[in-house]
């Protein structure tokens, strides 16, 4: 394995901690990319990697992504990420989670963890027995911040789509605007419901075809096959399922004016931001438009650290700032000639003191 600081994804990370607990068998990496704005926040991924170098790459890349995302969400939090290297049977024991909690605690609050792939709320509750530096715990009461971040993510995307429609199509409402949604799960389903309320025209697709059909029937939309959604002629294509869908073939297929959705890492490679722009398609950078969930999780954590419970109104007020951030990105993109994704990265770097 190459030294991690020679990895292309190493970006002057403040610290990278290798954790091994012989008694429980826990092996983990905790990367703190930046604490410039506050404690480094980012989820813990529990994954079986064929090669430990893959775990290091994921941790370095995802922790930098969290710095950018938290900064652009306007949160007083830096960026970090943890990866627990699972064995091929994906053995996860209470002792491993306790040892992981101890490792987070040993960082003294420089890193705040949460759920990610392979980790559930019950795992976070177990980790919280050993450290207070955890967010995404069960919601404490009606109207309190926390709980499922999906609805907050969906609300931010809905507001972002409205901003994109105003910017690109000059319309102050999404009534009659045709939105094609890929993925009708927690996020995509929530976005579709909010858009339907405003009279948008919806085409929906999911690899779970029944889920898309049921939602289309409920909302008065149309369901199409999952492999047909990217080529659907529409005003807005909203990806809310997989990452890396905006590659050469995917972009060539699009028949829309706007791409705005919640999936993480939509651009397959950096040059695909320019490929979208070359086709005249307005792009809402994924980590800016989908920040509603992290805003909810962070608000819950910050409020608890102050001995109070944050409330939903506080979260929604922060999520409501997403459209303004997107508008600033598109304005800067138009004046500088840089693509929207490059502008977002540049703004984020400046916010974390690396401009
Ligand atoms: P989810 O599992 O609830 O829903 C995903 C849906 O996409 C499922 O219904 C699945 O069947 C469908 N799907 C998978 N592959 C598909 C394909 N090829 N074509 C069409 N549909 C497909 O997940 P979610 O929480 O709604 O998250 C969706 C995306 O948003 C993910 O990329 C996730 O990383 C991202 N995201 C989610 C949140 C959140 O708060 N949940 C926050 C930020 C980003």
């Amino acid at each position: 394995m190459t030294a991690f600081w020679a990895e292309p994804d190493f970006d002057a990370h403040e610290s990278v901690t290798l954790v091994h607990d012989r008694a429980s068998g826990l092996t983990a990496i905790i990367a703190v990319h930046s604490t410039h704005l506050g404690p480094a926040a980012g989820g813990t991924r529990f994954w079986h990697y064929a090669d430990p170098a893959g775990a290091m790459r994921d941790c370095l890349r995802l922790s930098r992504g969290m710095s950018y995302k938290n900064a652009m969400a306007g949160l007083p939090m830096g960026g970090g990420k943890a990866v627990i290297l699972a064995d091929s049977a994906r053995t996860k024991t209470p002792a491993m989670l306790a040892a992981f909690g101890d490792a987070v605690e040993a960082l003294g609050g420089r890193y705040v963890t949460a759920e990610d792939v392979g980790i559930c709320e019950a795992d976070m509750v177990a980790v919280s027995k050993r450290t207070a530096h955890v967010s995404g715990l069960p919601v404490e009461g009606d109207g309190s911040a926390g709980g499922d971040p999906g609805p907050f993510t969906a609300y931010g995307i809905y507001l972002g789509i409205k901003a994109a429609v105003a910017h690109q199509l000059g319309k102050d409402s999404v009534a009659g605007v045709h939105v094609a949604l890929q993925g009708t799960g927690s996020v995509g389903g929530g976005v579709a419901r909010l858009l339907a309320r405003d009279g948008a025209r919806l085409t929906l697709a999911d690899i779970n075809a029944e889920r898309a059909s049921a939602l289309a029937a409920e909302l008065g939309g149309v369901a199409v096959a999952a492999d047909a959604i990217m080529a659907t002629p529409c005003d807005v294509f909203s990806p809310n399922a997989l990452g890396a869908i905006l590659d050469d073939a995917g972009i060539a297929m699009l028949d829309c004016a706007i791409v705005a959705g919640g999936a993480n890492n939509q651009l397959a490679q950096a040059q695909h931001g320019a490929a979208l722009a070359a086709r005249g398609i307005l792009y809402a950078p994924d980590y800016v438009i989908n920040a509603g969930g992290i805003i909810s999780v962070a608000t819950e954590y910050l409020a608890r650290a102050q001995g109070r419970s944050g409330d939903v109104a506080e979260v929604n007020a922060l999520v409501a700032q997403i459209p303004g951030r997107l508008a600033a990105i598109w304005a800067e993109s138009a004046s500088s000639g840089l693509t929207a994704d490059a502008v977002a990265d540049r703004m984020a770097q400046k916010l974390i003191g690396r401009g």
Side-chain angles (χ1 to χ4, degrees), residues 9 19-20 56 67 74 118 130 162 185 189 195 237 241 246 265 337 352 354:
D9 290 309
V19 182
H20 183 69
M56 179 59 82
S67 286
R130 310 295 276 235
K162 292 208 321 176
L195 290 170
F237 170 63
L246 300 172
N265 305 318
I352 63 169
R354 299 189 184 193

Side-chain angles (χ1 to χ4, degrees), residues 45 69 116-117 148-154 157 181-189 205-209 211-212 225-227 229 239-243 245 261-266 286 290-294:
R45 182 163 287 196
K69 181 168 187 159
D116 192 47
V117 179
D148 179 10
F152 297 103
T153 305
I157 292 160
L181 289 110
Q182 180 182 52
T184 54
S186 169
V187 172
D206 199 294
I207 44 165
N208 180 340
R211 179 177 284 173
D227 61 5
I229 194 72
N240 296 290
L242 304 176
I245 44 142
N264 279 315
N265 305 318
Q266 292 165 29
D286 44 17
N290 75 12
I294 190 74

Side-chain angles (χ1 to χ4, degrees), residues 121 135-141 143-152 293 295-301 304 310-312 315:
E121 194 176 80
S135 59
L137 295 173
V139 62
E140 282 165 6
S144 299
D148 179 10
F152 297 103
I295 289 172
S296 162
V297 166
T299 303
E300 169 214 324
Y301 173 77
R304 191 160 10 89
D311 61 41
V312 168
V315 178

Side-chain angles (χ1 to χ4, degrees), residues 59-320:
C59 211
L60 292 174
R61 184 175 52 84
L62 295 168
S63 58
R64 180 188 52 204
M66 288 311 300
S67 286
Y68 288 16
K69 181 168 187 159
N70 292 337
M72 289 301 280
L75 294 167
M77 308 208 85
K81 197 84 186 179
V83 169
I84 297 178
L85 286 78
D87 62 15
S88 56
R90 291 175 165 72
T91 313
K92 194 200 285 168
T93 64
M96 283 167 77
L97 292 170
F100 180 69
D102 290 343
V104 172
E105 181 62 19
L107 292 173
R110 291 184 65 245
Y111 170 65
V112 178
T113 196
E115 276 177 50
D116 192 47
V117 179
I119 292 283
C120 63
E121 194 176 80
D123 296 336
M124 279 299 118
V125 171
V127 170
S128 74
K129 308 275 183 239
R130 310 295 276 235
T131 179
H133 307 300
V134 181
S135 59
L137 295 173
V139 62
E140 282 165 6
D142 281 354
S144 299
D148 179 10
F152 297 103
T153 305
Y155 179 52
I157 292 160
Y158 157 73
L159 296 178
I161 288 176
K162 292 208 321 176
V165 164
H167 182 93
Q168 184 82 337
L169 307 177
K171 295 186 178 175
D172 60 6
S173 152
V174 289
V177 170
H178 185 185
V179 184
L181 289 110
Q182 180 182 52
T184 54
S186 169
V187 172
V191 175
R193 285 195 171 84
L194 290 165
L195 290 170
R197 217 180 47 183
D198 285 1
R201 187 178 146 211
L202 302 177
T203 299
L204 310 171
D206 199 294
I207 44 165
N208 180 340
E210 250 174 58
R211 179 177 284 173
S213 305
L215 191 65
E218 178 194 325
L219 302 178
V222 173
V224 298
D227 61 5
I229 194 72
M230 284 188 78
T232 300
C234 59
D235 297 305
V236 183
F237 170 63
S238 183
N240 296 290
L242 304 176
I245 44 142
L246 300 172
D247 56 9
D248 291 344
I251 291 171
M253 213 184 273
L254 292 173
D255 188 356
C256 62
I258 294 161
V259 172
N264 279 315
N265 305 318
Q266 292 165 29
L267 299 172
Q269 288 168 320
Q271 75 266 21
H272 292 113
L276 277 176
R279 290 210 46 208
I281 297 172
L282 184 74
Y283 176 59
D286 44 17
Y287 67 85
V288 180
I289 194 171
N290 75 12
I294 190 74
I295 289 172
S296 162
V297 166
T299 303
E300 169 214 324
Y301 173 77
L302 292 166
R304 191 160 10 89
Q306 295 163 1
R308 60 186 184 91
S309 59
D311 61 41
V312 168
E314 200 176 335
V315 178
N316 283 338
L318 290 170
V319 175

